[in-house]
Amino acid sequence: MPVDGQAPQPAGGRLPRVRFAPSPTGYVHVGGARTALYNWCFARQQGGAFVLRIEDTDRQRSEASWESGILSALEWLGITWDEGPYRQSERSGLYSDAAARLLAGGHAYYCSCRRDEIDARTKDNPVPGYDGFCRDRGLGPGPGRAVRFRVPDEGVTVVRDLVRGDVEFANSTIEDFVVVKSNGDPLFVLAVVVDDEAMGITHVIRAEEHLPTTPKAVLLWGVLSDAPLPAFAHLPVLVNEKRQKLSKRRDKVAVEDYRDEGYLPEAMVNYLGLLGWSPADGRELLTRDELVAGFRLDEVNRSPAFFDEKRLAHFNGVYIRALELDEFVRRALTFCSSPRAPWPPERFDERAFRRLAPLVQERVATLGEVPGMIEFLFDEPFRLDPDAFAKAIGGDSGAAGILRAAIARLEGCSWDADTLRAEMAAIADSSGRKLAKAQAPVRVAALGRGVGLPLFESLEVLGRERALERLAAALDGTALFSGADGAVRPASVAGGA
RNA sequence: GCCCCCAUCGUCCAGCGGCCGAGGACGCCGCCCUUUCAAGGCGGAAACACGGGUUCGAAUCCCGUUGGGGGUGCCA
């Protein structure tokens, strides 16, 4: 990879070259991830190149740490780049050269107007934007002077868009926009055009929010380069439940967050891939390779898509269940180790987890849910859900009898799930209950919750000693605390508050 | 305000003038399976924003309206 920040010249072939060009100002937005994915699919399918370019021309907001976050998020998603990362901050010479050519060719001029001055002059104008005050003042460079592009007064600039068709902008509605800030830094419009040209980008695939600035890029390209314009493809934005563009401030959008909650990258890729596109055969479960093979830019739809976490979770559950058991355990291990897990790290026993893993695997939608499923094996002290206790034990007058019977029968039986089940079935019979109803007090007493893994397998792994201990403690709780309102607080067994 | 984009179940997609009495998936509801919960199976409710055209025929094409969104920075 080049270290001097200079892009190699395009080979001159006809293979497509695309780029993903995030600015390092925060976590990777799921919308950005989708953009990256579509670029990547297109490049891989066409045998072209995927270029990674860091757009850090805004020195105030850009931070190197965000850049490494972007790289690791892309790696996590399996989005590999062929070139880069290039950094615009390392390519400033290119931009000043371009600005100089603009100035020399009469396509740009220095402007000394401040924002408040412009606003004061233009507040009653029918056409918004800069009024061209400095166009013909013949200003040279100097402090506080920006460079503006001289937009033609007449004519129409057409953006040919692969997903939207031709979009026309009257030049009269485009203001003379700034291309170089008064501190000498290029503005992104300029930097993007210069880089796309220098890097031989053939397809600019990005979010729709960039569509309104695209005619400016087209205008710049026209005076800066003889090369043909790249094709544009503006993807629909991703929105929240209120149908507003996802924002880092108000919405949960960081792919890092989803990673940390235990979403699988292949599920995320599958879900993201279907947000705005779908294969002709209607399949919804697609591997990365199938996505690459089937993806078509001109099939991308035009309307905004809601990022639906429920649907993502469904995909994730499907992918989790499809994992080989060993692979599931391996991936879940990260979530079972401190500090994320709700138990002291030394208490975790991988072999115990492994015995229950098949049952866990089909019950979780994210890997982050795994610890909660097996918490009863490792927590110290044992945590018992007071609400579950109140319902299944405190609020059930027959619960004490069931618990007593369970203690009696489980003391001496052989300790395996089948036997435990048979013993509980016998208790159910003699108490005139269905097994489903009879097992509830035992479940809550031994596992601490009303719902969870199958009871008998769980007891088997828990072990006789701890199981009987808990049943006895729960029995004490019923004697001491069974209040009429069901608001039972079994202080003797509840681990916490 | 101005410029631009968009418009099929709550949500994501299918639909490219007749095959639409609008299909799939998520979610939701019910039933089955079942030691709880899941998973799985079966079934159900649920949409072409509105108005004009064009056409023998429109969810599909055109125009308008309405609604939503994006942009309007010396942010990207």
Side-chain angles (χ1 to χ4, degrees), chain A residues 297-366:
Chain A
L297 254 189
D298 57 9
E299 286 175 354
V300 170
N301 60 271
R302 294 172 296 283
S303 39
F306 170 57
F307 186 84
D308 186 355
E309 215 174 305
K310 287 223 180 83
R311 191 166 155 86
L312 204 213
H314 170 259
F315 276 96
N316 206 55
V318 170
Y319 275 87
I320 283 180
R321 274 173 257 129
L323 254 24
E324 296 288 339
L325 183 62
D326 282 348
E327 180 64 7
F328 168 68
V329 170
R330 196 183 66 74
R331 295 211 207 186
L333 248 24
T334 317
F335 294 82
C336 295
S337 59
S338 191
R340 275 197 269 244
W343 50 67
E346 68 278 7
R347 301 218 11 117
F348 178 69
D349 173 7
E350 184 182 333
R351 284 170 312 164
F353 167 46
R354 191 171 282 272
R355 289 169 70 188
L356 291 174
L359 301 174
V360 176
Q361 186 175 194
E362 64 180 27
R363 282 170 176 76
V364 294
T366 63

Side-chain angles (χ1 to χ4, degrees), chain A residues 260-325:
Chain A
D260 293 346
E261 285 175 23
Y263 285 88
L264 308 186
E266 49 270 56
M268 181 62 92
V269 161
N270 193 153
Y271 175 67
L272 248 20
L274 261 25
L275 230 39
W277 174 81
S278 64
D281 60 15
R283 278 178 312 147
E284 301 198 320
L285 257 21
L286 300 172
T287 65
R288 208 182 302 267
D289 288 345
E290 291 169 330
L291 212 48
V292 167
F295 182 72
R296 293 285 305 278
L297 254 189
D298 57 9
E299 286 175 354
V300 170
N301 60 271
R302 294 172 296 283
S303 39
F306 170 57
F307 186 84
D308 186 355
E309 215 174 305
K310 287 223 180 83
R311 191 166 155 86
L312 204 213
H314 170 259
F315 276 96
N316 206 55
V318 170
Y319 275 87
I320 283 180
R321 274 173 257 129
L323 254 24
E324 296 288 339
L325 183 62

Side-chain angles (χ1 to χ4, degrees), chain A residues 411-485:
Chain A
E411 249 164 4
C413 71
S414 90
W415 199 260
D416 59 87
D418 287 344
T419 306
L420 293 168
R421 178 197 166 109
E423 294 295 340
M424 276 309 299
I427 293 170
D429 268 353
S430 58
S431 64
R433 292 185 174 201
K434 297 234 177 189
L435 184 53
K437 196 82 165 79
Q439 59 90 43
V442 176
R443 164 183 299 282
V444 171
L447 309 186
R449 300 183 182 190
V451 300
L453 263 25
L455 176 60
F456 310 117
E457 290 80 352
S458 299
L459 288 176
E460 180 185 314
V461 177
L462 217 211
R464 190 195 314 266
E465 190 186 338
R466 281 199 287 168
L468 291 178
E469 217 171 79
R470 291 177 185 185
L471 295 187
L475 198 49
D476 289 348
T478 62
L480 292 170
F481 294 99
S482 47
D485 60 350

Side-chain angles (χ1 to χ4, degrees), chain A residues 9-167:
Chain A
Q9 285 306 114
R14 38 188 39 248
L15 255 25
R17 294 174 57 84
V18 301
R19 79 314 195 271
F20 177 56
S23 41
T25 57
Y27 293 107
V28 179
H29 191 289
V30 288
R34 202 263 321 250
T35 299
L37 177 63
Y38 281 11
N39 271 286
W40 182 83
C41 285
F42 182 73
R44 287 292 167 270
Q45 179 189 78
Q46 305 286 317
F50 178 95
V51 176
L52 180 58
R53 185 171 76 214
I54 304 297
E55 308 219 323
D56 54 355
T57 53
D58 185 346
R59 291 184 298 199
Q60 263 66 253
R61 299 199 309 153
S62 299
E63 283 180 34
S65 62
W66 291 127
E67 178 188 319
S68 52
I70 291 168
L71 304 192
S72 67
L74 289 177
E75 280 165 9
W76 180 70
L77 289 167
I79 297 176
T80 51
W81 55 94
D82 304 301
E83 291 175 27
Y86 302 112
R87 289 174 203 89
Q88 292 189 323
S89 58
E90 297 170 358
R91 301 165 58 79
S92 54
L94 261 38
Y95 314 130
S96 25
D97 287 353
R101 283 164 53 210
L102 252 23
L103 256 359
H107 299 296
Y109 57 88
Y110 281 98
C111 169
S112 62
C113 297
R114 281 181 290 113
R115 187 76 241 168
D116 56 327
E117 296 170 344
I118 299 169
D119 289 343
R121 282 201 308 267
T122 60
K123 64 180 192 306
D124 297 321
N125 279 10
V127 275
Y130 184 65
D131 58 355
F133 184 80
C134 293
R135 266 184 183 177
D136 304 310
R137 292 176 69 206
L139 260 28
R145 291 186 182 172
V147 177
R148 285 183 185 274
F149 182 76
R150 171 66 223 251
V151 175
D153 299 319
E154 302 189 338
V156 169
T157 298
V158 179
V159 175
R160 311 206 88 113
D161 192 291
L162 259 23
V163 344
R164 277 152 222 286
D166 288 358
V167 182

